[in-house]
Amino acid sequence: MQRRERTHQLIELGGLVAKAGLVDLAQDDRAALYGAFLELADRLQGPDGDGTKLLWRRRGQRAFASEAEHAE
């Protein structure tokens, strides 16, 4: 069961990468995407990591809400 949940989580995360347009913007360059993710991890570990995470969360929540509105 744990393996199935982990697989589901990874599929969802991959979907978010695609939904954000990163696959197309990076021209499916996985090294570039991995480098970008490493940059994000560095920022989250930095002195203002909590503030950065809060800003990103709010932006994501607004995007989800906007998409839900347009779907209705």
Side-chain angles (χ1 to χ4, degrees):
M1 192 60 149
Q2 257 185 336
R3 186 174 176 197
R4 180 179 291 169
E5 290 173 10
R6 177 73 174 146
T7 299
H8 182 72
Q9 178 189 29
L10 293 173
I11 290 169
E12 285 182 337
L13 292 171
L16 289 173
V17 171
K19 188 175 198 155
L22 294 174
V23 176
D24 293 335
L25 290 170
Q27 299 173 331
D28 202 14
D29 183 339
R30 290 158 197 219
L33 289 170
Y34 186 44
F37 296 142
L38 292 172
E39 175 71 23
L40 295 175
D42 285 345
R43 287 187 187 192
L44 290 175
Q45 292 173 2
D48 192 34
D50 290 338
T52 298
K53 184 177 176 182
L54 181 61
L55 289 173
W56 292 347
R57 175 180 285 128
R58 288 179 181 162
R59 185 172 182 186
Q61 289 171 333
R62 285 193 306 267
F64 280 138
S66 177
E67 290 172 9
E69 275 184 28
H70 287 93
E72 293 176 357

Short mmCIF file of all heavy atoms in Angstrom, two decimals:
data_model
loop_
_atom_site.label_atom_id
_atom_site.label_comp_id
_atom_site.label_asym_id
_atom_site.label_seq_id
_atom_site.Cartn_x
_atom_site.Cartn_y
_atom_site.Cartn_z
N MET A 1 0.83 -1.20 0.00
CA MET A 1 0.00 0.00 0.00
C MET A 1 0.86 1.26 0.00
O MET A 1 0.54 2.21 -0.69
CB MET A 1 -0.93 -0.04 1.22
CG MET A 1 -2.00 0.99 1.15
SD MET A 1 -3.05 0.77 -0.29
CE MET A 1 -4.57 1.36 0.29
N GLN A 2 1.96 1.27 0.76
CA GLN A 2 2.83 2.44 0.79
C GLN A 2 3.39 2.74 -0.60
O GLN A 2 3.50 3.90 -0.99
CB GLN A 2 3.99 2.21 1.76
CG GLN A 2 3.85 2.90 3.06
CD GLN A 2 5.09 2.72 3.91
OE1 GLN A 2 5.83 1.76 3.74
NE2 GLN A 2 5.30 3.63 4.82
N ARG A 3 3.74 1.72 -1.32
CA ARG A 3 4.30 1.90 -2.67
C ARG A 3 3.27 2.55 -3.60
O ARG A 3 3.60 3.43 -4.37
CB ARG A 3 4.74 0.54 -3.21
CG ARG A 3 5.46 0.64 -4.51
CD ARG A 3 5.99 -0.72 -4.92
NE ARG A 3 6.59 -0.64 -6.23
CZ ARG A 3 6.85 -1.66 -6.98
NH1 ARG A 3 6.58 -2.88 -6.56
NH2 ARG A 3 7.39 -1.51 -8.16
N ARG A 4 2.03 2.12 -3.49
CA ARG A 4 0.97 2.69 -4.33
C ARG A 4 0.76 4.17 -4.00
O ARG A 4 0.60 5.00 -4.89
CB ARG A 4 -0.32 1.92 -4.11
CG ARG A 4 -1.48 2.47 -4.94
CD ARG A 4 -2.74 1.69 -4.74
NE ARG A 4 -2.58 0.38 -5.33
CZ ARG A 4 -3.43 -0.61 -5.15
NH1 ARG A 4 -4.49 -0.46 -4.38
NH2 ARG A 4 -3.24 -1.78 -5.72
N GLU A 5 0.77 4.51 -2.70
CA GLU A 5 0.61 5.91 -2.29
C GLU A 5 1.77 6.76 -2.79
O GLU A 5 1.57 7.89 -3.24
CB GLU A 5 0.50 6.00 -0.77
CG GLU A 5 -0.79 5.44 -0.22
CD GLU A 5 -0.81 5.38 1.30
OE1 GLU A 5 0.09 5.94 1.95
OE2 GLU A 5 -1.75 4.76 1.83
N ARG A 6 2.99 6.22 -2.70
CA ARG A 6 4.18 6.95 -3.17
C ARG A 6 4.10 7.18 -4.69
O ARG A 6 4.40 8.26 -5.18
CB ARG A 6 5.45 6.17 -2.80
CG ARG A 6 6.73 6.79 -3.30
CD ARG A 6 7.09 8.03 -2.52
NE ARG A 6 8.40 8.49 -2.96
CZ ARG A 6 8.75 9.74 -3.02
NH1 ARG A 6 7.91 10.69 -2.65
NH2 ARG A 6 9.94 10.08 -3.43
N THR A 7 3.68 6.15 -5.41
CA THR A 7 3.52 6.27 -6.86
C THR A 7 2.50 7.35 -7.20
O THR A 7 2.72 8.18 -8.08
CB THR A 7 3.12 4.92 -7.48
OG1 THR A 7 4.14 3.97 -7.21
CG2 THR A 7 2.91 5.04 -8.97
N HIS A 8 1.39 7.35 -6.48
CA HIS A 8 0.35 8.36 -6.70
C HIS A 8 0.89 9.76 -6.42
O HIS A 8 0.63 10.70 -7.20
CB HIS A 8 -0.86 8.06 -5.80
CG HIS A 8 -2.00 9.01 -5.99
ND1 HIS A 8 -2.81 9.00 -7.11
CD2 HIS A 8 -2.46 10.01 -5.20
CE1 HIS A 8 -3.71 9.95 -7.00
NE2 HIS A 8 -3.52 10.58 -5.84
N GLN A 9 1.65 9.91 -5.34
CA GLN A 9 2.24 11.21 -5.00
C GLN A 9 3.17 11.68 -6.12
O GLN A 9 3.12 12.85 -6.52
CB GLN A 9 3.00 11.11 -3.69
CG GLN A 9 3.67 12.41 -3.29
CD GLN A 9 4.60 12.26 -2.10
OE1 GLN A 9 5.18 11.20 -1.87
NE2 GLN A 9 4.74 13.32 -1.33
N LEU A 10 4.01 10.80 -6.62
CA LEU A 10 4.95 11.18 -7.68
C LEU A 10 4.24 11.57 -8.97
O LEU A 10 4.64 12.51 -9.65
CB LEU A 10 5.95 10.05 -7.93
CG LEU A 10 6.92 9.77 -6.78
CD1 LEU A 10 7.75 8.53 -7.07
CD2 LEU A 10 7.81 10.97 -6.52
N ILE A 11 3.17 10.87 -9.28
CA ILE A 11 2.38 11.21 -10.48
C ILE A 11 1.75 12.59 -10.31
O ILE A 11 1.76 13.41 -11.25
CB ILE A 11 1.31 10.13 -10.75
CG1 ILE A 11 1.99 8.85 -11.23
CG2 ILE A 11 0.28 10.62 -11.76
CD1 ILE A 11 1.08 7.64 -11.27
N GLU A 12 1.22 12.87 -9.13
CA GLU A 12 0.63 14.19 -8.88
C GLU A 12 1.68 15.29 -9.00
O GLU A 12 1.41 16.35 -9.58
CB GLU A 12 -0.01 14.25 -7.49
CG GLU A 12 -1.32 13.52 -7.40
CD GLU A 12 -1.94 13.64 -6.01
OE1 GLU A 12 -1.21 13.88 -5.03
OE2 GLU A 12 -3.16 13.48 -5.92
N LEU A 13 2.87 15.06 -8.44
CA LEU A 13 3.93 16.07 -8.51
C LEU A 13 4.36 16.30 -9.96
O LEU A 13 4.57 17.44 -10.37
CB LEU A 13 5.11 15.65 -7.64
CG LEU A 13 4.85 15.66 -6.14
CD1 LEU A 13 6.02 15.01 -5.40
CD2 LEU A 13 4.60 17.06 -5.64
N GLY A 14 4.46 15.24 -10.72
CA GLY A 14 4.79 15.39 -12.14
C GLY A 14 3.72 16.18 -12.87
O GLY A 14 4.00 16.98 -13.76
N GLY A 15 2.46 15.95 -12.49
CA GLY A 15 1.36 16.70 -13.09
C GLY A 15 1.46 18.19 -12.79
O GLY A 15 1.15 19.03 -13.64
N LEU A 16 1.90 18.53 -11.59
CA LEU A 16 2.08 19.94 -11.24
C LEU A 16 3.19 20.58 -12.05
O LEU A 16 3.07 21.74 -12.47
CB LEU A 16 2.37 20.09 -9.74
CG LEU A 16 1.21 19.80 -8.80
CD1 LEU A 16 1.68 19.83 -7.36
CD2 LEU A 16 0.07 20.79 -9.03
N VAL A 17 4.25 19.82 -12.29
CA VAL A 17 5.35 20.34 -13.13
C VAL A 17 4.82 20.65 -14.52
O VAL A 17 5.09 21.72 -15.08
CB VAL A 17 6.52 19.32 -13.18
CG1 VAL A 17 7.55 19.73 -14.21
CG2 VAL A 17 7.16 19.17 -11.82
N ALA A 18 4.04 19.74 -15.07
CA ALA A 18 3.47 19.96 -16.40
C ALA A 18 2.44 21.09 -16.38
O ALA A 18 2.42 21.94 -17.28
CB ALA A 18 2.83 18.67 -16.90
N LYS A 19 1.59 21.12 -15.35
CA LYS A 19 0.54 22.13 -15.23
C LYS A 19 1.12 23.54 -15.17
O LYS A 19 0.55 24.50 -15.71
CB LYS A 19 -0.30 21.85 -13.99
CG LYS A 19 -1.52 22.70 -13.85
CD LYS A 19 -2.31 22.22 -12.64
CE LYS A 19 -3.70 22.74 -12.74
NZ LYS A 19 -4.67 21.94 -12.02
N ALA A 20 2.27 23.68 -14.52
CA ALA A 20 2.93 24.98 -14.42
C ALA A 20 3.59 25.39 -15.73
O ALA A 20 4.09 26.51 -15.85
CB ALA A 20 3.97 24.95 -13.30
N GLY A 21 3.62 24.49 -16.69
CA GLY A 21 4.20 24.80 -18.00
C GLY A 21 5.71 24.62 -18.04
O GLY A 21 6.35 24.99 -19.02
N LEU A 22 6.27 24.03 -17.00
CA LEU A 22 7.73 23.91 -16.92
C LEU A 22 8.30 22.94 -17.94
O LEU A 22 9.41 23.15 -18.44
CB LEU A 22 8.15 23.49 -15.51
CG LEU A 22 7.86 24.52 -14.42
CD1 LEU A 22 8.16 23.95 -13.05
CD2 LEU A 22 8.67 25.78 -14.67
N VAL A 23 7.57 21.90 -18.26
CA VAL A 23 8.07 20.93 -19.24
C VAL A 23 8.28 21.61 -20.58
O VAL A 23 9.33 21.49 -21.21
CB VAL A 23 7.12 19.72 -19.36
CG1 VAL A 23 7.59 18.76 -20.45
CG2 VAL A 23 6.99 19.00 -18.03
N ASP A 24 7.28 22.37 -21.01
CA ASP A 24 7.39 23.07 -22.29
C ASP A 24 8.42 24.19 -22.24
O ASP A 24 9.20 24.36 -23.17
CB ASP A 24 6.02 23.64 -22.71
CG ASP A 24 5.02 22.54 -23.03
OD1 ASP A 24 5.44 21.42 -23.41
OD2 ASP A 24 3.81 22.79 -22.91
N LEU A 25 8.41 24.96 -21.16
CA LEU A 25 9.34 26.08 -21.06
C LEU A 25 10.79 25.62 -21.06
O LEU A 25 11.66 26.30 -21.60
CB LEU A 25 9.06 26.90 -19.79
CG LEU A 25 7.77 27.72 -19.82
CD1 LEU A 25 7.47 28.28 -18.44
CD2 LEU A 25 7.88 28.84 -20.84
N ALA A 26 11.05 24.47 -20.44
CA ALA A 26 12.41 23.94 -20.39
C ALA A 26 12.69 23.03 -21.58
O ALA A 26 13.77 22.45 -21.68
CB ALA A 26 12.63 23.17 -19.10
N GLN A 27 11.72 22.93 -22.49
CA GLN A 27 11.83 22.08 -23.67
C GLN A 27 12.18 20.64 -23.28
O GLN A 27 13.02 19.99 -23.88
CB GLN A 27 12.85 22.65 -24.65
CG GLN A 27 12.45 24.02 -25.15
CD GLN A 27 13.51 24.68 -26.00
OE1 GLN A 27 14.71 24.42 -25.84
NE2 GLN A 27 13.08 25.53 -26.91
N ASP A 28 11.52 20.17 -22.23
CA ASP A 28 11.67 18.81 -21.71
C ASP A 28 13.13 18.47 -21.36
O ASP A 28 13.56 17.33 -21.44
CB ASP A 28 11.12 17.79 -22.71
CG ASP A 28 10.76 16.46 -22.05
OD1 ASP A 28 10.69 16.41 -20.81
OD2 ASP A 28 10.57 15.47 -22.77
N ASP A 29 13.88 19.51 -20.98
CA ASP A 29 15.28 19.32 -20.58
C ASP A 29 15.30 18.98 -19.09
O ASP A 29 15.18 19.85 -18.23
CB ASP A 29 16.07 20.60 -20.86
CG ASP A 29 17.54 20.50 -20.54
OD1 ASP A 29 17.93 19.61 -19.74
OD2 ASP A 29 18.31 21.32 -21.07
N ARG A 30 15.47 17.71 -18.80
CA ARG A 30 15.37 17.25 -17.42
C ARG A 30 16.50 17.77 -16.55
O ARG A 30 16.32 18.01 -15.36
CB ARG A 30 15.28 15.74 -17.39
CG ARG A 30 13.92 15.32 -17.95
CD ARG A 30 13.87 13.94 -18.46
NE ARG A 30 12.69 13.83 -19.32
CZ ARG A 30 11.93 12.77 -19.35
NH1 ARG A 30 12.21 11.73 -18.62
NH2 ARG A 30 10.89 12.76 -20.15
N ALA A 31 17.66 17.98 -17.14
CA ALA A 31 18.78 18.54 -16.36
C ALA A 31 18.45 19.97 -15.95
O ALA A 31 18.73 20.38 -14.82
CB ALA A 31 20.07 18.49 -17.17
N ALA A 32 17.84 20.73 -16.86
CA ALA A 32 17.46 22.11 -16.54
C ALA A 32 16.38 22.12 -15.45
O ALA A 32 16.44 22.93 -14.51
CB ALA A 32 16.96 22.83 -17.78
N LEU A 33 15.41 21.24 -15.56
CA LEU A 33 14.36 21.17 -14.55
C LEU A 33 14.94 20.76 -13.19
O LEU A 33 14.60 21.35 -12.17
CB LEU A 33 13.27 20.18 -14.97
CG LEU A 33 12.39 20.63 -16.14
CD1 LEU A 33 11.52 19.49 -16.62
CD2 LEU A 33 11.55 21.82 -15.74
N TYR A 34 15.82 19.80 -13.19
CA TYR A 34 16.44 19.36 -11.94
C TYR A 34 17.24 20.50 -11.32
O TYR A 34 17.17 20.76 -10.12
CB TYR A 34 17.31 18.14 -12.19
CG TYR A 34 17.90 17.52 -10.94
CD1 TYR A 34 17.13 17.33 -9.79
CD2 TYR A 34 19.22 17.12 -10.91
CE1 TYR A 34 17.68 16.75 -8.65
CE2 TYR A 34 19.77 16.54 -9.78
CZ TYR A 34 18.99 16.36 -8.65
OH TYR A 34 19.54 15.80 -7.53
N GLY A 35 17.97 21.23 -12.14
CA GLY A 35 18.71 22.39 -11.66
C GLY A 35 17.80 23.43 -11.05
O GLY A 35 18.11 24.03 -10.02
N ALA A 36 16.66 23.65 -11.69
CA ALA A 36 15.68 24.61 -11.16
C ALA A 36 15.15 24.13 -9.81
O ALA A 36 15.01 24.93 -8.87
CB ALA A 36 14.54 24.79 -12.15
N PHE A 37 14.87 22.84 -9.69
CA PHE A 37 14.39 22.32 -8.42
C PHE A 37 15.44 22.44 -7.33
O PHE A 37 15.12 22.72 -6.17
CB PHE A 37 13.96 20.86 -8.56
CG PHE A 37 12.78 20.66 -9.48
CD1 PHE A 37 12.73 19.57 -10.32
CD2 PHE A 37 11.74 21.56 -9.52
CE1 PHE A 37 11.65 19.37 -11.17
CE2 PHE A 37 10.66 21.38 -10.37
CZ PHE A 37 10.62 20.28 -11.20
N LEU A 38 16.70 22.25 -7.69
CA LEU A 38 17.78 22.42 -6.72
C LEU A 38 17.85 23.88 -6.25
O LEU A 38 18.09 24.15 -5.07
CB LEU A 38 19.11 21.98 -7.30
CG LEU A 38 19.25 20.47 -7.55
CD1 LEU A 38 20.54 20.17 -8.31
CD2 LEU A 38 19.19 19.70 -6.25
N GLU A 39 17.62 24.81 -7.18
CA GLU A 39 17.59 26.23 -6.83
C GLU A 39 16.44 26.52 -5.85
O GLU A 39 16.60 27.26 -4.88
CB GLU A 39 17.43 27.08 -8.09
CG GLU A 39 17.28 28.56 -7.85
CD GLU A 39 18.56 29.23 -7.37
OE1 GLU A 39 19.65 28.69 -7.62
OE2 GLU A 39 18.46 30.29 -6.74
N LEU A 40 15.29 25.93 -6.12
CA LEU A 40 14.14 26.10 -5.21
C LEU A 40 14.47 25.56 -3.83
O LEU A 40 14.16 26.19 -2.81
CB LEU A 40 12.91 25.38 -5.77
CG LEU A 40 12.33 25.90 -7.08
CD1 LEU A 40 11.19 25.01 -7.54
CD2 LEU A 40 11.87 27.33 -6.95
N ALA A 41 15.10 24.39 -3.77
CA ALA A 41 15.47 23.80 -2.49
C ALA A 41 16.45 24.70 -1.74
O ALA A 41 16.32 24.89 -0.52
CB ALA A 41 16.07 22.41 -2.71
N ASP A 42 17.41 25.28 -2.46
CA ASP A 42 18.35 26.21 -1.82
C ASP A 42 17.63 27.41 -1.22
O ASP A 42 17.93 27.85 -0.12
CB ASP A 42 19.40 26.69 -2.82
CG ASP A 42 20.47 25.65 -3.13
OD1 ASP A 42 20.57 24.65 -2.39
OD2 ASP A 42 21.19 25.84 -4.13
N ARG A 43 16.67 27.94 -1.96
CA ARG A 43 15.92 29.10 -1.46
C ARG A 43 15.13 28.75 -0.21
O ARG A 43 15.04 29.53 0.73
CB ARG A 43 14.98 29.64 -2.53
CG ARG A 43 15.68 30.35 -3.63
CD ARG A 43 14.69 30.99 -4.57
NE ARG A 43 15.37 31.54 -5.73
CZ ARG A 43 14.78 32.36 -6.58
NH1 ARG A 43 13.52 32.71 -6.40
NH2 ARG A 43 15.44 32.81 -7.61
N LEU A 44 14.52 27.56 -0.21
CA LEU A 44 13.74 27.15 0.95
C LEU A 44 14.61 26.90 2.17
O LEU A 44 14.15 27.03 3.30
CB LEU A 44 12.92 25.90 0.62
CG LEU A 44 11.76 26.13 -0.36
CD1 LEU A 44 11.10 24.81 -0.71
CD2 LEU A 44 10.73 27.10 0.21
N GLN A 45 15.87 26.56 1.96
CA GLN A 45 16.78 26.33 3.07
C GLN A 45 17.49 27.61 3.51
O GLN A 45 18.19 27.62 4.52
CB GLN A 45 17.83 25.29 2.67
CG GLN A 45 17.24 23.91 2.48
CD GLN A 45 18.24 22.91 1.92
OE1 GLN A 45 19.40 23.24 1.72
NE2 GLN A 45 17.78 21.70 1.67
N GLY A 46 17.28 28.69 2.78
CA GLY A 46 17.92 29.95 3.09
C GLY A 46 17.27 30.66 4.27
O GLY A 46 16.30 30.17 4.87
N PRO A 47 17.80 31.83 4.61
CA PRO A 47 17.33 32.56 5.79
C PRO A 47 15.86 32.97 5.71
O PRO A 47 15.20 33.12 6.74
CB PRO A 47 18.24 33.79 5.85
CG PRO A 47 18.86 33.90 4.51
CD PRO A 47 18.86 32.53 3.91
N ASP A 48 15.33 33.18 4.52
CA ASP A 48 13.92 33.56 4.38
C ASP A 48 13.09 32.43 3.76
O ASP A 48 12.12 32.66 3.07
CB ASP A 48 13.80 34.84 3.53
CG ASP A 48 12.40 35.44 3.61
OD1 ASP A 48 11.77 35.34 4.68
OD2 ASP A 48 11.93 35.97 2.58
N GLY A 49 13.50 31.20 4.03
CA GLY A 49 12.82 30.05 3.45
C GLY A 49 11.35 29.97 3.81
O GLY A 49 10.52 29.67 2.95
N ASP A 50 11.03 30.25 5.06
CA ASP A 50 9.63 30.17 5.48
C ASP A 50 8.78 31.22 4.77
O ASP A 50 7.65 30.95 4.34
CB ASP A 50 9.50 30.33 6.99
CG ASP A 50 10.03 29.13 7.75
OD1 ASP A 50 10.12 28.03 7.17
OD2 ASP A 50 10.38 29.30 8.94
N GLY A 51 9.32 32.43 4.63
CA GLY A 51 8.59 33.49 3.93
C GLY A 51 8.40 33.17 2.46
O GLY A 51 7.33 33.40 1.89
N THR A 52 9.45 32.63 1.86
CA THR A 52 9.37 32.25 0.45
C THR A 52 8.31 31.17 0.25
O THR A 52 7.49 31.25 -0.67
CB THR A 52 10.74 31.74 -0.03
OG1 THR A 52 11.69 32.81 0.09
CG2 THR A 52 10.70 31.27 -1.46
N LYS A 53 8.32 30.18 1.12
CA LYS A 53 7.34 29.09 1.02
C LYS A 53 5.92 29.62 1.17
O LYS A 53 5.02 29.22 0.45
CB LYS A 53 7.63 28.03 2.08
CG LYS A 53 6.73 26.82 2.01
CD LYS A 53 7.14 25.81 3.07
CE LYS A 53 6.22 24.62 3.10
NZ LYS A 53 6.61 23.67 4.15
N LEU A 54 5.73 30.56 2.09
CA LEU A 54 4.41 31.16 2.29
C LEU A 54 3.95 31.89 1.04
O LEU A 54 2.79 31.74 0.62
CB LEU A 54 4.45 32.10 3.49
CG LEU A 54 3.13 32.79 3.85
CD1 LEU A 54 2.06 31.77 4.21
CD2 LEU A 54 3.36 33.76 5.00
N LEU A 55 4.84 32.67 0.44
CA LEU A 55 4.48 33.38 -0.80
C LEU A 55 4.13 32.40 -1.91
O LEU A 55 3.14 32.60 -2.63
CB LEU A 55 5.63 34.27 -1.26
CG LEU A 55 5.91 35.50 -0.41
CD1 LEU A 55 7.19 36.19 -0.88
CD2 LEU A 55 4.74 36.47 -0.48
N TRP A 56 4.92 31.37 -2.07
CA TRP A 56 4.65 30.37 -3.12
C TRP A 56 3.33 29.64 -2.87
O TRP A 56 2.57 29.37 -3.79
CB TRP A 56 5.78 29.36 -3.21
CG TRP A 56 7.08 29.93 -3.72
CD1 TRP A 56 7.28 31.13 -4.33
CD2 TRP A 56 8.36 29.30 -3.66
NE1 TRP A 56 8.61 31.28 -4.66
CE2 TRP A 56 9.29 30.17 -4.26
CE3 TRP A 56 8.80 28.09 -3.15
CZ2 TRP A 56 10.63 29.86 -4.36
CZ3 TRP A 56 10.15 27.77 -3.25
CH2 TRP A 56 11.05 28.65 -3.86
N ARG A 57 3.06 29.32 -1.59
CA ARG A 57 1.81 28.63 -1.25
C ARG A 57 0.61 29.51 -1.60
O ARG A 57 -0.36 29.05 -2.21
CB ARG A 57 1.77 28.29 0.24
CG ARG A 57 0.41 27.67 0.63
CD ARG A 57 0.32 27.32 2.09
NE ARG A 57 1.09 26.10 2.30
CZ ARG A 57 2.03 25.98 3.23
NH1 ARG A 57 2.32 26.97 4.03
NH2 ARG A 57 2.67 24.85 3.37
N ARG A 58 0.68 30.79 -1.23
CA ARG A 58 -0.43 31.70 -1.54
C ARG A 58 -0.65 31.82 -3.04
O ARG A 58 -1.80 31.81 -3.50
CB ARG A 58 -0.17 33.08 -0.94
CG ARG A 58 -0.30 33.11 0.56
CD ARG A 58 0.00 34.47 1.11
NE ARG A 58 -0.12 34.49 2.55
CZ ARG A 58 0.39 35.43 3.32
NH1 ARG A 58 1.06 36.44 2.78
NH2 ARG A 58 0.25 35.37 4.62
N ARG A 59 0.43 31.92 -3.78
CA ARG A 59 0.30 32.02 -5.24
C ARG A 59 -0.33 30.76 -5.82
O ARG A 59 -1.20 30.81 -6.69
CB ARG A 59 1.66 32.27 -5.87
CG ARG A 59 1.58 32.50 -7.36
CD ARG A 59 2.90 32.92 -7.93
NE ARG A 59 2.75 33.18 -9.35
CZ ARG A 59 3.75 33.46 -10.15
NH1 ARG A 59 4.98 33.55 -9.69
NH2 ARG A 59 3.54 33.66 -11.43
N GLY A 60 0.09 29.61 -5.32
CA GLY A 60 -0.49 28.35 -5.77
C GLY A 60 -1.95 28.23 -5.42
O GLY A 60 -2.77 27.78 -6.23
N GLN A 61 -2.31 28.64 -4.22
CA GLN A 61 -3.71 28.58 -3.80
C GLN A 61 -4.59 29.48 -4.68
O GLN A 61 -5.69 29.09 -5.07
CB GLN A 61 -3.84 28.98 -2.33
CG GLN A 61 -3.31 27.94 -1.38
CD GLN A 61 -3.24 28.42 0.06
OE1 GLN A 61 -3.12 29.61 0.34
NE2 GLN A 61 -3.32 27.48 0.99
N ARG A 62 -4.07 30.67 -5.00
CA ARG A 62 -4.83 31.57 -5.89
C ARG A 62 -4.99 30.95 -7.27
O ARG A 62 -6.07 31.04 -7.88
CB ARG A 62 -4.13 32.92 -5.99
CG ARG A 62 -4.31 33.80 -4.77
CD ARG A 62 -3.87 35.24 -5.02
NE ARG A 62 -2.52 35.36 -5.53
CZ ARG A 62 -1.43 35.54 -4.78
NH1 ARG A 62 -1.54 35.62 -3.46
NH2 ARG A 62 -0.24 35.67 -5.33
N ALA A 63 -3.94 30.31 -7.77
CA ALA A 63 -4.01 29.68 -9.10
C ALA A 63 -5.02 28.53 -9.09
O ALA A 63 -5.83 28.40 -10.03
CB ALA A 63 -2.63 29.19 -9.52
N PHE A 64 -5.00 27.69 -8.05
CA PHE A 64 -5.98 26.61 -7.95
C PHE A 64 -7.40 27.16 -7.89
O PHE A 64 -8.30 26.65 -8.55
CB PHE A 64 -5.72 25.74 -6.71
CG PHE A 64 -4.62 24.72 -6.87
CD1 PHE A 64 -3.71 24.52 -5.84
CD2 PHE A 64 -4.50 23.95 -8.01
CE1 PHE A 64 -2.70 23.57 -5.96
CE2 PHE A 64 -3.49 22.99 -8.13
CZ PHE A 64 -2.60 22.80 -7.11
N ALA A 65 -7.60 28.21 -7.10
CA ALA A 65 -8.93 28.81 -6.98
C ALA A 65 -9.40 29.39 -8.30
O ALA A 65 -10.56 29.23 -8.69
CB ALA A 65 -8.93 29.88 -5.88
N SER A 66 -8.50 30.05 -9.01
CA SER A 66 -8.84 30.64 -10.30
C SER A 66 -9.22 29.56 -11.32
O SER A 66 -10.19 29.70 -12.06
CB SER A 66 -7.66 31.47 -10.83
OG SER A 66 -7.94 31.97 -12.10
N GLU A 67 -8.46 28.47 -11.32
CA GLU A 67 -8.77 27.37 -12.23
C GLU A 67 -10.11 26.74 -11.90
O GLU A 67 -10.88 26.38 -12.79
CB GLU A 67 -7.68 26.32 -12.17
CG GLU A 67 -6.37 26.79 -12.79
CD GLU A 67 -5.23 25.81 -12.56
OE1 GLU A 67 -5.47 24.68 -12.07
OE2 GLU A 67 -4.09 26.19 -12.85
N ALA A 68 -10.42 26.62 -10.61
CA ALA A 68 -11.69 26.05 -10.19
C ALA A 68 -12.86 26.94 -10.62
O ALA A 68 -13.89 26.45 -11.06
CB ALA A 68 -11.72 25.84 -8.68
N GLU A 69 -12.66 28.27 -10.52
CA GLU A 69 -13.69 29.21 -10.96
C GLU A 69 -13.97 29.08 -12.44
O GLU A 69 -15.11 29.09 -12.88
CB GLU A 69 -13.26 30.65 -10.67
CG GLU A 69 -13.55 31.14 -9.29
CD GLU A 69 -13.16 32.60 -9.13
OE1 GLU A 69 -13.18 33.35 -10.12
OE2 GLU A 69 -12.85 32.97 -7.99
N HIS A 70 -12.90 28.97 -13.23
CA HIS A 70 -13.04 28.89 -14.68
C HIS A 70 -13.64 27.54 -15.12
O HIS A 70 -14.23 27.46 -16.18
CB HIS A 70 -11.71 29.13 -15.37
CG HIS A 70 -11.28 30.56 -15.32
ND1 HIS A 70 -10.48 31.05 -14.32
CD2 HIS A 70 -11.57 31.62 -16.13
CE1 HIS A 70 -10.28 32.33 -14.52
NE2 HIS A 70 -10.93 32.72 -15.59
N ALA A 71 -13.49 26.53 -14.28
CA ALA A 71 -14.04 25.21 -14.61
C ALA A 71 -15.54 25.15 -14.39
O ALA A 71 -16.22 24.30 -14.95
CB ALA A 71 -13.34 24.13 -13.78
N GLU A 72 -16.03 26.04 -13.55
CA GLU A 72 -17.47 26.03 -13.22
C GLU A 72 -18.30 26.64 -14.28
O GLU A 72 -18.40 27.09 -15.17
CB GLU A 72 -17.73 26.76 -11.91
CG GLU A 72 -17.14 26.05 -10.74
CD GLU A 72 -17.31 26.84 -9.43
OE1 GLU A 72 -17.83 27.96 -9.45
OE2 GLU A 72 -16.91 26.31 -8.41
#
